Amino acid sequence: PTLVTLAAVGVLAVTVRLGDPAARRRTALLACAGAALAGAGAVGLAAAVFTGTAGATVPAAAAYAGGQVLLAVSVRPAGELARPVPETGPGFGLSVWPLGLALVAAVIRLAFLGRVDGVEVYTAVAIGAAVLGQQAVARRDLRRYAARLQDSEAHFREMAHTDALTGLGNRRQLLHALYSDAVGGPPCVLLAIDLDGFKNINDIRGHDVGDAVLVEVAQRLRGNLRPGDLAARLGGDEFAVLMWAGPREAKVVAKRLLDVLAQPYELPAGTVFMSASMGLAGCATADDVETLLRNADLALRFAKQRGKNRVEQYDIAYDHWVRRRTELEHELRGAVERGELMLVYQPVVTLPEGRVTGVEALLRWHHPTLGTVPPDEFIPLAEEAGLIEGLGAFVLHEACHQLARWLADGHELYLAVNVSVRELHTPEYATQVAEALRAHRLAPQRLVVEVTEHAVALDVEQLVSRLVALRDTGVRVALDDFGSGYSSLGQLRTLPVDILKIDRSVLAQPDEAQARFSPPLVDVVVRLGNRLGLDVVAEGITEPGQRRVVEEAGCRFAQGDLFGRALPAERVETLFATAAADIPVQNLGPVDSAREMRQS
């Protein structure tokens, strides 16, 4: 009885340690009741055996069996809350000891007394049957628990490696496959995929439609890949495909996927049209998984930049391009403070006399080790890196300072500065312009702010309000790059501009077949500007024949290398009193202000 009680207390202690607070109270009550009944039953059995009272044997055995049942019931919830345990362990020995104890007692009685009465035999058999039954139930429950645990582990493992929305593999599964087999293994290619314009679908159609598109994209990928290839959704509208093939074969598959993904998406909410861009990188181009992922992303980036809806294969030249852009961005952050940036000025002349009436300020960067960095390289980079506002403020104040000096010297002219798309979207830009004019004591009409036709066409409604705010400060607004094909004549009627600058492409004459179209086009733009009350400036004049066409069309202002290239302030002053066509000047690089300020 003492051993039975100690075993019950041990079970109780283990139960209380493993269970949660709510289950501990129920388990403790059951265990205590079971221990009490088992202990009382054991005492009754012992008394019945040694006193020979047969009538007490049955109640004592029933009490003992009931106590064992309660102990078994109390152990089950504790086992469900506990950590997984092996099939055999200390619990098995503790549950078998009553049978062993009964057998030992029988052996002792046979050895010392020479007999065993029927009560002892029946009691031992009953105890043994109860123990065996308890073990059978416990083992069955343990097997069921182990099976449920395995099913749960398999389910959670699948969830951990599967995208919940599309059913494709996720980033974890892709990385597992790459680390296991890709690098150093059989020939393979990683294809990075990004959907073109997916953000617009979410914003306009809603996220439900966007999710439906993603599901359809996953089905198309799954249905057009070869057996063994792995498609995964990395997040958002980014997908990846790991193909076990060489780059040439993989590119054929990628182009097929490109055509498949470009097909219309017939959804309950309507038809959606969308394309995809892809970057392809062979596993042989990388020494590790991280480099392979970077190569594929880099190829995808070039596919986006080169027009989208295309497949780009990774090239080592992309690494040089990234390194240069990274170096340029790092050096550009302190270029103003180090005095590496400067302004050059290109004159705007009146026709036909060629007198300088204004200048356009253009930004140049001379780095001590990188040399002269072209504007069409560092200005788009400044746009992407969020540095354009600082560069724009530098240009504005430097140009206003120089214009104030020229006006103080008696030169009557205006000055034009270019503004980027990001600056125009800043609500405070008009206020900054007004403060610069105030700081340098300039009349607002002396300053012209040039915005490209491309920038205005991207967001007409938003930029119109910004241009109105600029004109309210008194400055004039010029629409640069006009005629390059972005905006319509209907939009021109609503734009608050004062000057039209004819794009150089209108005057370009690549061959004789197209040369005959230049005079009519220039004449149309000039007449249109005159009818709208706008000044018209023809830019990009490099040849006398182009000047003749512009003059015959009645254009009053012109700009280009024929009249003067981009020059530092002290050198452009020599053009203020003399016709630029008669003065030899130093070439500081081609000027295309519209292209320089165009967002990449």
Side-chain angles (χ1 to χ4, degrees):
T2 303
L3 293 177
V4 173
T5 305
L6 291 176
V9 172
V11 173
L12 173 62
V14 173
T15 302
V16 172
R17 181 174 65 85
L18 295 178
D20 58 50
R24 287 175 186 175
R25 291 189 291 270
R26 297 191 301 269
T27 303
L29 291 175
L30 290 174
C32 290
L37 280 176
V43 171
L45 286 174
V49 169
F50 287 102
T51 60
T53 306
T57 302
V58 176
Y64 181 78
Q68 291 291 336
V69 171
L70 290 179
L71 286 174
V73 173
S74 67
V75 171
R76 287 193 60 187
E80 294 176 358
L81 297 171
R83 296 183 298 272
V85 296
E87 292 189 6
T88 61
F92 179 78
L94 289 176
S95 61
V96 172
W97 74 265
L99 177 59
L101 184 61
L103 294 176
V104 170
V107 172
I108 292 174
R109 288 185 63 82
L110 282 173
F112 291 96
L113 300 178
R115 65 182 180 83
V116 177
D117 54 20
V119 174
E120 294 174 349
V121 174
Y122 297 148
T123 302
V125 171
I127 293 175
V131 170
L132 292 177
Q134 179 187 9
Q135 286 300 308
V137 172
R139 286 180 177 276
R140 184 197 63 183
D141 292 342
L142 187 60
R143 285 194 296 269
R144 290 180 178 178
Y145 173 75
R148 290 196 302 269
L149 183 61
Q150 291 177 355
D151 293 341
S152 298
E153 289 178 351
H155 173 69
F156 287 118
R157 188 181 299 111
E158 182 179 358
M159 289 182 60
H161 291 81
T162 304
D163 178 64
L165 176 64
T166 62
L168 297 178
N170 57 13
R171 182 182 295 272
R172 186 177 290 105
Q173 183 176 1
L174 177 65
L175 291 176
H176 177 74
L178 290 175
Y179 279 107
S180 301
D181 305 315
V183 178
C188 63
V189 167
L190 181 61
L191 185 66
I193 305 173
D194 188 84
L195 304 180
D196 301 328
F198 180 75
K199 184 177 183 300
N200 294 332
I201 296 176
N202 271 341
D203 294 342
I204 298 175
R205 298 288 192 94
H207 289 276
D208 292 341
V209 176
D211 289 347
V213 170
L214 294 176
V215 172
E216 177 65 22
V217 169
Q219 292 177 352
R220 296 184 184 186
L221 289 177
R222 193 182 293 110
N224 289 274
L225 291 177
R226 305 165 309 167
D229 293 343
L230 173 63
R233 180 187 175 215
L234 306 183
D237 61 335
E238 299 179 4
F239 294 82
V241 175
L242 178 60
M243 291 184 283
W244 304 103
R248 180 176 300 179
E249 182 181 358
K251 195 166 186 178
V252 174
V253 177
K255 289 182 177 180
R256 184 177 73 243
L257 292 177
L258 199 69
D259 295 336
V260 169
L261 296 180
Q263 298 299 318
Y265 293 79
E266 301 293 342
L267 304 175
T271 303
V272 175
F273 297 92
M274 190 179 58
S275 61
S277 300
M278 301 184 183
L280 186 148
C283 297
T285 64
D287 297 328
D288 50 50
V289 172
E290 290 75 12
T291 304
L292 177 61
L293 291 170
R294 186 185 66 86
N295 292 348
D297 287 338
L298 192 56
L300 174 61
R301 182 177 179 180
F302 271 80
K304 287 283 191 181
Q305 290 184 347
R306 293 179 176 178
K308 303 180 180 180
N309 192 26
R310 58 185 294 128
V311 179
E312 282 291 333
Q313 187 170 349
Y314 168 77
D315 191 280
I316 190 64
Y318 297 167
D319 283 318
H320 302 317
W321 179 83
V322 170
R323 280 196 292 269
R324 176 168 175 82
R325 284 182 66 87
T326 303
E327 185 178 11
L328 288 179
E329 180 181 345
H330 180 269
E331 295 297 324
L332 186 58
R333 293 186 181 277
V336 174
E337 291 75 9
R338 296 191 300 267
E340 298 170 2
L341 297 176
M342 63 173 291
L343 292 184
V344 293
Y345 304 88
Q346 186 174 40
V348 178
V349 302
T350 58
L351 296 177
E353 60 271 18
R355 178 178 59 85
V356 177
T357 186
V359 292
E360 180 180 357
L362 301 167
L363 186 61
R364 295 294 183 263
W365 183 15
H366 301 280
H367 192 273
T369 58
L370 298 176
T372 300
V373 183
D376 56 356
E377 184 177 11
F378 74 84
I379 289 183
L381 177 61
E383 289 267 4
E384 293 181 7
L387 303 175
I388 195 64
E389 290 86 351
L391 297 185
F394 168 78
V395 170
L396 180 62
H397 282 278
E398 285 291 314
C400 289
H401 174 71
Q402 185 59 56
L403 179 60
R405 291 184 56 185
W406 282 333
L407 293 176
D409 292 340
H411 301 295
E412 292 293 325
L413 72 162
Y414 72 87
L415 186 142
V417 295
N418 293 278
V419 59
S420 71
V421 176
R422 187 181 294 271
E423 289 178 284
L424 281 178
H425 279 287
T426 304
E428 300 81 12
Y429 183 71
T431 304
Q432 295 173 0
V433 171
E435 291 176 353
L437 293 173
R438 232 180 355 257
H440 297 281
R441 299 180 181 180
L442 291 175
Q445 62 270 18
R446 293 286 185 179
L447 181 66
V448 175
V449 176
E450 295 190 6
V451 54
T452 64
E453 182 188 31
H454 171 73
V456 174
L458 289 177
D459 193 356
V460 176
E461 296 181 1
Q462 178 76 13
L463 294 184
V464 164
S465 62
R466 299 287 188 257
L467 297 179
V468 170
L470 274 176
R471 294 187 73 193
D472 289 343
T473 64
V475 303
R476 293 185 293 168
V477 177
L479 184 62
D480 200 0
D481 205 14
F482 185 77
S484 57
Y486 289 105
S487 64
S488 65
L489 297 181
Q491 292 176 343
L492 181 61
R493 186 174 54 187
T494 62
L495 292 175
V497 297
D498 306 280
I499 301 172
L500 284 184
K501 299 191 73 173
I502 304 177
D503 184 65
R504 62 179 62 241
S505 63
V506 177
L507 293 168
Q509 299 178 5
D511 51 49
E512 294 182 0
Q514 296 183 14
R516 61 189 183 92
F517 292 106
S518 293
L521 289 176
V522 174
D523 183 71
V524 168
V525 175
V526 172
R527 289 177 179 273
L528 176 64
N530 293 335
R531 292 291 298 269
L532 295 176
L534 306 176
D535 292 331
V536 180
V537 179
E539 58 180 347
I541 307 296
T542 58
E543 300 176 1
Q546 294 174 331
R547 175 177 180 172
R548 191 163 45 251
V549 169
V550 170
E551 289 181 354
E552 291 175 355
C555 185
R556 295 178 53 207
F557 305 98
Q559 177 182 356
D561 291 351
L562 184 65
F563 308 105
R565 298 183 177 93
L567 297 170
E570 62 274 9
R571 298 202 59 189
V572 78
E573 292 176 1
T574 60
L575 303 178
F576 290 167
T578 312
D582 300 331
I583 299 179
V585 293
Q586 179 184 2
N587 184 8
L588 294 186
V591 176
D592 187 353
S593 59
R595 183 185 177 193
E596 292 175 9
M597 301 307 296
R598 213 173 278 149
Q599 185 180 18
S600 62

